[in-house]
Amino acid sequence: MADRLTVVSGGGTGIGRAIARVFAAEGDRVVVIGRRPELLERARAEIDEEVGAPRIHPVPADLTDPRQVARAAAEIAALGPVDVLVNNAGAIVTAPADDSLAALAEAWRRDLDTNLLTAVLLTSALLDHLRRPGGRLVLISSAAAQRGGAGAHSAGSYAAAKAALHGWAFGLARQLGPDGITVNVLAPGYVADTPIFGDRATPEFHAGKIADTLVGRAGTPADVAAAVGYLASPAAGYLTGQVIGLNGGAVLGR
């Protein structure tokens, strides 16, 4: 597995950074993509120091912008075939500005762009550069896609956008399976120590999320990174076209 080329979107913070570190520690060259160059550079410096080798290659890009995606993909393709692509970019975006249908439509489009279109554009741009056979494509979804969103305003659109990844992934698995490429979706539940919840992450919010689980704890970015590491490994070559819940039992398998 050493010296693979791995690409992680949203790789500058939180779950994405933890995923990037796992692959860097295994000896991969890891491209981290994000909108904020300063966070990517910080991740590069910290992870390279942690693993004791220059493994991280930052590529700043807004993945909702087709032109920036095309530029990023060209930079990545110049590094060689992509062994692993982890579509991790996403966020719960801001609520509608007011109660109008126009504001609601704008908020839903932001959520769809951030959580669905980013994965569609980056994957499509790199599709011809995935290693054949042996490529691994992992999409990071959410338990919200399996049980519905909760909360005011944009929670429904976030859940819907993440759920759309599932149907799209099934089609990709059928398309890419004959080329020896696996496609899987990982749907984490509540993961602490990430910036996604913002001001909502009060002690009461945290306790409520833990109470939903069967194991009595929140997930961690390391939990997600470990699962992604397995999905991307040679040992997972017979695992494709699946949505895998990682939620401490908050959502039971079906």
Side-chain angles (χ1 to χ4, degrees):
M1 292 174 59
D3 203 38
R4 296 182 305 179
L5 178 60
T6 292
V7 178
V8 182
S9 69
T13 60
I15 289 172
R17 186 197 180 284
I19 292 170
R21 190 197 181 286
V22 163
F23 287 109
E26 291 177 349
D28 288 14
R29 295 169 294 143
V30 184
V31 174
V32 290
I33 307 175
R35 292 179 295 107
R36 292 172 288 183
E38 67 279 8
L39 293 182
L40 296 180
E41 180 56 31
R42 184 186 306 166
R44 182 203 64 75
E46 292 175 352
I47 294 173
D48 282 354
E49 182 177 1
E50 289 168 7
V51 303
R55 295 294 181 187
I56 302 298
H57 183 100
V59 176
D62 180 346
L63 296 180
T64 67
D65 182 339
R67 288 172 295 185
Q68 293 191 45
V69 174
R71 175 189 53 75
E75 184 174 343
I76 294 165
L79 301 175
V82 175
D83 295 278
V84 181
L85 171 57
V86 182
N87 282 293
N88 167 73
I92 301 174
V93 299
T94 56
D98 54 49
D99 293 332
S100 69
L101 289 177
L104 182 63
E106 181 181 356
W108 270 71
R109 290 189 182 105
R110 285 199 305 269
D111 250 346
L112 291 167
D113 283 353
T114 301
N115 294 289
L116 175 62
L117 191 64
T118 52
V120 171
L121 291 179
L122 182 61
T123 302
S124 299
L126 292 176
L127 205 59
D128 290 341
H129 304 289
L130 294 177
R131 187 175 296 281
R132 290 164 166 81
R136 298 285 185 264
L137 176 56
V138 181
L139 310 175
I140 304 300
S141 176
S142 168
Q146 298 170 306
R147 66 178 182 181
H153 302 304
S154 65
S157 55
Y158 173 79
K162 289 298 191 181
L165 289 174
H166 300 187
W168 179 57
F170 297 153
L172 282 176
R174 292 182 182 278
Q175 175 186 344
L176 299 175
D179 292 336
I181 298 171
T182 65
V183 182
N184 290 291
V185 178
L186 187 67
Y190 175 57
V191 177
D193 302 323
T194 70
I196 190 170
F197 296 106
D199 295 340
R200 295 169 56 201
T202 63
E204 294 78 16
F205 176 87
H206 180 71
K209 291 294 187 181
I210 290 176
D212 280 345
T213 73
L214 302 181
V215 298
R217 71 169 178 89
T220 66
D223 290 326
V224 181
V228 173
Y230 171 70
L231 293 174
S233 72
Y238 195 56
L239 179 61
T240 194
Q242 304 302 310
V243 176
I244 299 162
L246 183 72
N247 54 55
V251 180
L252 298 180
R254 56 177 65 89

